[in-house]
Amino acid sequence: MQINPSILSADFANLEAELMSIASADMAHVDVMDNHFVPNLTLGTAIVERLAKVSPIPLDVHLMIEHPDKWAIGYAQAGASSVTFHLEAATEPIDLARRLRAAGVKAAVAIKPATKVSDIAHLIQEVDMLLVMTVEPGFGGQPILVETLEKIAQARQLIEGSGARVALQVDGGVTESNIAQLASLGADSFVAGSAIYNSPDRANQILRLRGLALAASNPK
């Protein structure tokens, strides 16, 4: 069970310190938005490169941008350990996944709430992780969309049926109150922003979220 705090909820004036405060997490989730694919603008390759140099944990870069076929490799070269692109934005997703892997990073594909899990079936053998968005991408702090929950179970079924070793990540509205349910549906990687960064003890909160997910995935 991986807990990947989203630095979208961090203090952007103190990102090095904010990364240090989540050193007990598995990866730092870095949201890259271009104000075209989603209605928000965050950061680019230059900042990711600097973050990679100071982060105590690997970077899980989530590209919410147009034309990832053109830009994704730059984030691998900037120091990301995992690069996620959106199925809805990629022109040649299989080729992009293969190029990311060839660049030495994990390749991941994300789907928005309205995209069917079946649309990703042809890619499942080509990626290391599938990200199911449980909110509309663009802004942190949104409540989870209940209608996306069934997609987590569908995604787990797809992964198990393929025989591939693929992580199943959920991103959007993950909290203490729902992480157990998400884990029971089949998720094993969790992006949490405000649920961690709003806590006065982030290390303990990471531990608590991981424990809740583990307990739900291994019921007695």
Side-chain angles (χ1 to χ4, degrees):
M1 292 292 154
Q2 286 204 349
I3 304 297
N4 297 4
S6 171
I7 65 167
L8 188 62
S9 297
D11 178 359
F12 270 44
N14 297 285
L15 282 178
E16 182 174 359
E18 295 286 73
L19 286 167
M20 292 300 175
S21 75
I22 58 167
S24 60
D26 297 282
M27 303 182 81
H29 191 81
V30 181
D31 291 305
V32 175
M33 308 184 198
D34 64 358
N35 205 31
H36 293 282
F37 183 69
V38 294
N40 197 359
L41 182 65
T42 55
L43 43 80
T45 51
I47 294 177
V48 168
E49 185 173 11
R50 288 296 300 136
L51 294 177
K53 286 180 167 58
V54 301
S55 178
I57 52 179
L59 300 186
D60 171 27
V61 174
H62 179 188
L63 300 180
M64 287 172 270
I65 63 173
E66 293 182 346
H67 312 301
D69 304 76
K70 177 179 180 181
W71 301 110
I73 298 302
Y75 289 90
Q77 295 168 342
S81 293
S82 176
V83 176
T84 302
F85 62 89
H86 269 264
L87 179 67
E88 303 88 356
T91 303
E92 300 290 344
I94 291 177
D95 175 69
L96 178 54
R98 290 176 178 176
R99 286 192 289 122
L100 284 168
R101 282 176 158 180
V105 301
K106 290 183 178 180
V109 62
I111 54 175
K112 296 167 71 174
T115 302
K116 296 178 181 178
V117 170
S118 58
D119 291 347
I120 212 80
H122 68 294
L123 257 179
I124 203 67
Q125 297 283 352
E126 304 289 345
V127 296
D128 301 290
M129 185 172 73
L130 168 57
L131 168 55
V132 174
M133 290 297 302
T134 44
V135 300
E136 288 294 341
F139 295 93
Q142 300 181 64
I144 199 166
L145 294 173
V146 176
E147 58 268 30
T148 63
L149 296 179
E150 64 178 317
K151 292 176 61 177
I152 300 169
Q154 292 168 1
R156 174 49 61 190
Q157 186 176 23
L158 173 64
I159 291 168
E160 295 297 330
S162 73
R165 293 178 60 86
V166 178
L168 177 53
Q169 187 174 78
V170 291
D171 181 0
V174 177
T175 65
E176 283 184 48
S177 63
N178 61 32
I179 194 170
Q181 180 184 15
L182 300 174
S184 69
L185 289 169
D188 53 20
S189 178
F190 306 88
V191 177
S194 54
I196 291 173
Y197 273 103
N198 288 350
S199 173
D201 187 341
R202 293 167 183 173
N204 186 64
Q205 183 71 346
I206 290 166
L207 186 64
R208 175 165 173 73
L209 290 172
R210 188 183 287 120
L212 289 168
L214 281 169
S217 65
N218 295 291
K220 294 181 180 179

